[in-house]
Amino acid sequence: MAKHNKTKKYGSLFMATALLTGILAGCGTDDSGSGSGSGSKGSGNTAGDTIKIGANLELSGAVGSYGSSINDGAKLAIDEINAAGGIDGKQIEYIPIDNKSETAEATSAAIKLAEQEKVVAMLAPATSGNSVATVQIANNHKVPMVTGSGTAPNVTVNDDGTVNEYAFRTCFIDPFQGTVAANFATNELGAKNVAIFADNASDYAKGLAASFKETITANGGTVVTEEAYVAKDVDFKSQLTNIKGKNPDFIFIPGYYEEVGIIVKQAREAGITVPLMGADGWDSPKLIELAGADALNNTFITNHYSSEDPDAKIQDFVKAFNDKYSQAPNAFHALGYDSIYFIVDAIKRVDGDVTSEAIQKQLASTKDLSLVTGTFTVDENHNPVKSATVLEFVDGKQQFNSKVNP
Amino acid sequence: MEWIQQLVNGISLGSIYALIALGYTMVYGIIKLINFAHGDVFMLGAFIGFYAIARWEMNVFLALILAMILCAVIGVIIERVAYKRLRNATRIAALITAIGVSLLIEYTVIFFRGSSPEAYPTVFTTKNIEIFGVQISTLAIFILSVSIFLMLLLQFIVHKTKIGKAMRAVSHDADAARLMGINVDNTISATFAIGSALAGAAGVIFGIYYTRIDPLMGIMPGIKAFIAAVLGGIGIIPGAMVGGLVLGVVETVVSALGYSLWRDAAAFVILILILILRPAGIFGKNTREKV
């Protein structure tokens, strides 16, 4: 009984704290909104003798490999810039903090970077969920944040359509891959009658399918059939037989490798020989095991970047990365590297004092910036308009096929 | 043509359900226990087959036989350890024990090898044979023939051998069978062994046919096979075969009509309807319970 009361007491204490925090947070937003904030809060940070760039990344925990890769890419970029004399003679000071792949830790890391370290810009977490958790901090403190790989649309744009002023990203958003796949199907493969086979249990797949459909229809193509499955299914034969009966000349299969691997195998067994295409959810060695190298021939995926891209800028990066870390850079390495150059480009364009507010304005007006993962321009929703890379599976290996512009 | 193709898809799926359903129905027939661990024996069979083919580089048929033997042994161990002492307990106690055994098997496998899926190696270079414009893969034909062979073998065992006669006697009346000098315990173990061997075979076939296996793969096919057994009339061997095939075809037809997301729901609707309209199943006789 005593124990029960105690829990109750803590419970109400927790509630009260939560309420209080809510009220305070509300005030904070009001202050910065009217621009009358006093003290450091809500007025942004200014660079001192060095330019401080923070990083709030998943260096450990569930998705530790994502954050660590971005961190390695970012460090390479910082070293290069500092070795070349920094920005207008000022060196960059890079301050990474581990958010342990947890939302609460991500929020407190963002507060620490903005209030204590007084950084002028920061890299936001690698996952969309953790990035969303730090958006409010960035807005309140007027410190721009750039996520390397948070691809969910709601990082930069709230559900009600308002743009988060201080949130940016280096990667394209999920639905964009659907658009790219549709353009690739029309322009490169000459597809007219397409089928869509999507995972109905994932927002990612549904988002991709919707944008693919919109674009392919606009391109003059026809969606002859749309079939669906649910994650964890293993028998796709009846849907595939239906699709085959409609004679599509291209099939779009957004989804994750666990099911896609079997779908590709069963599709080939059912005698479907047309090109199949998916997105970055296919990108796993397990896909090749499940589908088999033969079945994967004539399939394509969209991805952020390929280390096999012959582009000189990419090959220079691959070489520099290999010299420093003795491995080929993956998409996260490239996105981390690009995120730093994206911020530094904006800082270079600032006239006068380097303040976090001035950097925000320059980030928002970035135009035709050439980076490893593509040349990009920031749109009104703070998403980069950039090309995606199309990879083709040839005998079980991903090969660079082409770049598709938006 | 497309419909014949769908029928072939349905029969392939249905024959796997039928193989699992046989084990359910045999065990139920003999000790009135719904052995929910049966789906996990199926999973173990799939993994034994996987390791035999991929790691120990065995021939498919040898792997199939190995999986059947090991699953038979596992089935007997489960029966001896978990169910034997509950033979005179309430049926609900035995049912709950079966669910416990099921979870134990699933999470023991996860403990030792993690929950990530495994991809079955390609054992056949599948070719498609065209019959009347229908693409039938050689793999589907192989699976169908193995299933039919095993079912015929089972019919032979049950009807033509001594142990089969003992099984039929025990399922009819265990006490009377014991009075006639039949070793009831051994007969029950033999039933578990045969049922589990069929589940093991179904596991290997499933792996070859659908490629992806994981430690929780037994749950859904297990439940579907249970529905198949009830549909055919639980405790009746030909009923399980027909029930499995019907269920496979129904699921495929539902998908073919464009309602693929309702496929699992269709299976459960069948279960509910059969329990309301004809609880004894397609092949069951409506007998009044003796008081």
Side-chain angles (χ1 to χ4, degrees):
Chain A
M1 232 17 232
K3 199 179 172 202
H4 183 68
N5 281 338
K6 217 171 179 181
T7 331
K8 220 170 180 179
K9 209 158 149 193
Y10 280 125
S12 49
L13 197 68
F14 171 74
M15 289 287 281
T17 323
L19 264 173
L20 201 66
T21 324
I23 294 163
L24 287 175
C27 287
T29 323
D30 285 347
D31 274 2
S32 57
S34 59
S36 64
S38 55
S40 70
K41 238 183 188 175
S43 58
N45 296 330
T46 309
D49 296 337
T50 58
I51 295 171
K52 283 182 173 178
I53 297 179
N56 173 3
L57 293 167
E58 292 84 346
L59 301 178
S60 66
V63 289
S65 79
Y66 293 173
S68 310
S69 295
I70 288 185
N71 190 40
D72 286 348
K75 277 196 289 197
L76 174 64
I78 302 268
D79 288 353
E80 283 178 6
I81 294 160
N82 281 342
I87 304 168
D88 297 333
K90 282 185 180 176
Q91 292 282 298
I92 301 172
E93 192 184 335
Y94 180 64
I95 306 159
I97 296 184
D98 180 11
N99 64 35
K100 303 185 178 68
S101 304
E102 284 170 24
T103 322
E105 292 280 345
T107 310
S108 55
I111 294 173
K112 190 173 177 212
L113 286 171
E115 286 184 6
Q116 292 173 16
E117 303 289 352
K118 297 206 178 303
V119 298
V120 292
M122 56 189 170
L123 295 188
T127 59
S128 300
N130 289 343
S131 286
V132 169
T134 62
V135 165
Q136 199 61 45
I137 312 296
N139 281 343
N140 288 353
H141 292 81
K142 299 193 171 178
V143 175
M145 56 172 251
V146 175
T147 174
S149 56
T151 49
N154 68 347
V155 175
T156 55
V157 183
N158 293 314
D159 292 334
D160 62 7
T162 55
V163 176
N164 287 314
E165 287 299 315
Y166 283 83
F168 296 87
R169 71 176 106 220
T170 322
C171 51
F172 43 62
I173 56 173
D174 285 337
F176 173 67
Q177 294 194 74
T179 311
V180 170
N183 285 335
F184 180 79
T186 313
N187 302 334
E188 307 293 324
L189 303 173
K192 293 269 185 300
N193 300 313
V194 303
I196 300 173
F197 191 24
D199 177 357
N200 203 44
S202 109
D203 288 341
Y204 162 79
K206 284 196 283 190
L208 259 70
S211 60
F212 174 84
K213 192 178 172 186
E214 198 179 304
T215 314
I216 200 91
T217 317
N219 288 351
T222 318
V223 177
V224 289
T225 180
E226 275 182 81
E227 291 282 342
Y229 66 91
V230 187
K232 300 281 170 207
D233 274 358
V234 289
D235 182 44
F236 307 97
K237 294 185 194 236
S238 54
Q239 292 103 312
L240 288 168
T241 308
N242 273 354
I243 290 174
K244 193 177 171 229
K246 298 283 194 312
N247 274 324
D249 47 23
F250 176 90
I251 306 173
F252 186 56
I253 313 173
Y256 295 110
Y257 62 89
E258 283 198 10
E259 286 81 27
V260 169
I262 311 176
I263 292 173
V264 170
K265 181 170 186 272
Q266 293 183 1
R268 296 306 189 213
E269 279 170 9
I272 296 173
T273 52
V274 299
L276 312 175
M277 187 159 185
D280 56 352
W282 286 33
D283 190 8
S284 161
K286 214 58 188 188
L287 177 83
I288 297 141
E289 280 181 48
L290 286 167
D294 282 349
L296 274 172
N297 283 334
N298 204 20
T299 63
F300 303 86
I301 62 170
T302 50
N303 212 337
H304 299 275
Y305 132 103
S306 161
S307 62
E308 289 178 12
D309 190 330
D311 187 296
K313 193 165 181 75
I314 292 179
Q315 287 313 317
D316 287 349
F317 163 68
V318 171
K319 190 175 174 302
F321 191 89
N322 202 16
D323 288 346
K324 189 172 162 81
Y325 298 105
S326 311
Q327 66 178 104
N330 64 26
F332 287 100
H333 291 129
L335 288 167
Y337 181 84
D338 278 359
S339 298
I340 292 296
Y341 273 99
F342 177 31
I343 294 170
V344 167
D345 170 72
I347 296 174
K348 281 183 179 161
R349 283 186 282 117
V350 169
D351 285 331
D353 282 348
V354 176
T355 64
S356 53
E357 283 175 279
I359 294 171
Q360 186 272 343
K361 284 189 184 69
Q362 295 305 328
L363 281 171
S365 60
T366 298
K367 237 182 134 190
D368 299 326
L369 175 65
S370 171
L371 296 173
V372 170
T373 60
T375 302
F376 76 70
T377 299
V378 174
D379 72 7
E380 71 278 8
N381 290 331
H382 288 189
N383 296 323
V385 178
K386 66 193 279 201
S387 60
T389 301
V390 175
L391 306 172
E392 179 180 4
F393 283 94
V394 176
D395 297 326
K397 292 226 161 54
Q398 291 186 2
Q399 275 190 9
F400 173 77
N401 178 288
S402 58
K403 265 188 184 156
V404 177
N405 292 315
Chain B
M1 283 309 122
E2 206 179 305
W3 282 101
I4 301 172
Q5 181 79 60
Q6 295 289 20
L7 201 63
V8 173
N9 294 339
I11 292 171
S12 312
L13 179 64
S15 61
I16 291 174
Y17 288 159
L19 280 179
I20 312 173
L22 285 170
Y24 265 112
T25 223
M26 285 168 66
V27 166
Y28 184 86
I30 205 154
I31 52 169
K32 300 284 176 285
L33 165 73
I34 295 166
N35 180 15
F36 274 114
H38 195 61
D40 301 296
V41 175
F42 158 79
M43 176 272 291
L44 289 174
F47 272 98
I48 293 166
F50 170 75
Y51 288 117
I53 297 170
R55 302 283 151 82
W56 310 321
E57 294 174 356
M58 280 166 88
N59 173 298
V60 187
F61 289 98
L62 284 177
L64 188 71
I65 291 164
L66 179 75
M68 288 176 74
I69 292 170
L70 289 181
C71 282
V73 173
I74 292 164
V76 172
I77 292 172
I78 291 171
E79 192 267 331
R80 285 280 153 108
V81 173
Y83 303 147
K84 193 179 172 192
R85 56 201 73 193
L86 291 170
R87 209 162 283 158
N88 295 316
T90 54
R91 274 165 73 178
I92 193 80
L95 186 73
I96 291 167
T97 307
I99 294 170
V101 171
S102 160
L103 293 172
L104 179 73
I105 296 174
E106 282 161 18
Y107 289 94
T108 306
V109 174
I110 289 179
F111 178 79
F112 282 110
R113 63 162 298 286
S115 60
S116 59
E118 207 72 68
Y120 244 70
T122 321
V123 286
F124 296 111
T125 41
T126 34
K127 267 182 274 176
N128 282 336
I129 303 173
E130 214 174 286
I131 305 169
F132 308 122
V134 183
Q135 298 272 345
I136 298 173
S137 76
T138 44
L139 189 61
I141 294 171
F142 164 76
I143 280 155
L144 216 55
S145 22
V146 171
S147 310
I148 291 169
F149 172 74
L150 289 172
M151 289 178 204
L152 291 176
L153 185 69
L154 180 68
Q155 280 292 340
F156 175 78
I157 291 173
V158 171
H159 290 285
K160 303 283 180 201
T161 62
K162 207 170 174 186
I163 188 74
K165 205 176 215 176
M167 281 161 64
R168 281 183 289 143
V170 172
S171 95
H172 204 72
D173 190 330
D175 290 328
R178 186 171 291 137
L179 288 173
M180 294 297 126
I182 293 170
N183 187 336
V184 173
D185 285 340
N186 281 356
T187 311
I188 291 173
S189 293
T191 312
F192 267 89
I194 294 170
S196 303
L198 291 175
V204 177
I205 290 174
F206 182 95
I208 295 171
Y209 200 45
Y210 293 122
T211 315
R212 191 188 65 201
I213 59 169
D214 66 77
L216 299 180
M217 66 183 271
I219 299 173
M220 216 32 169
I223 294 172
K224 296 282 180 65
F226 170 65
I227 297 173
V230 172
L231 177 63
I234 194 145
I236 302 162
I237 288 171
M241 293 182 199
V242 173
L245 292 176
V246 169
L247 191 67
V249 171
V250 168
E251 283 195 4
T252 309
V253 167
V254 169
S255 298
L257 291 173
Y259 301 100
S260 52
L261 301 175
W262 289 91
R263 188 162 73 179
D264 291 347
F268 292 109
V269 168
I270 290 179
L271 178 67
I272 292 167
L273 288 180
I274 202 88
L275 287 176
I276 292 171
L277 301 175
R278 200 178 157 80
I282 299 173
F283 285 72
K285 291 184 212 83
N286 272 318
T287 47
R288 281 181 188 278
E289 202 154 313
K290 278 171 270 180
V291 187

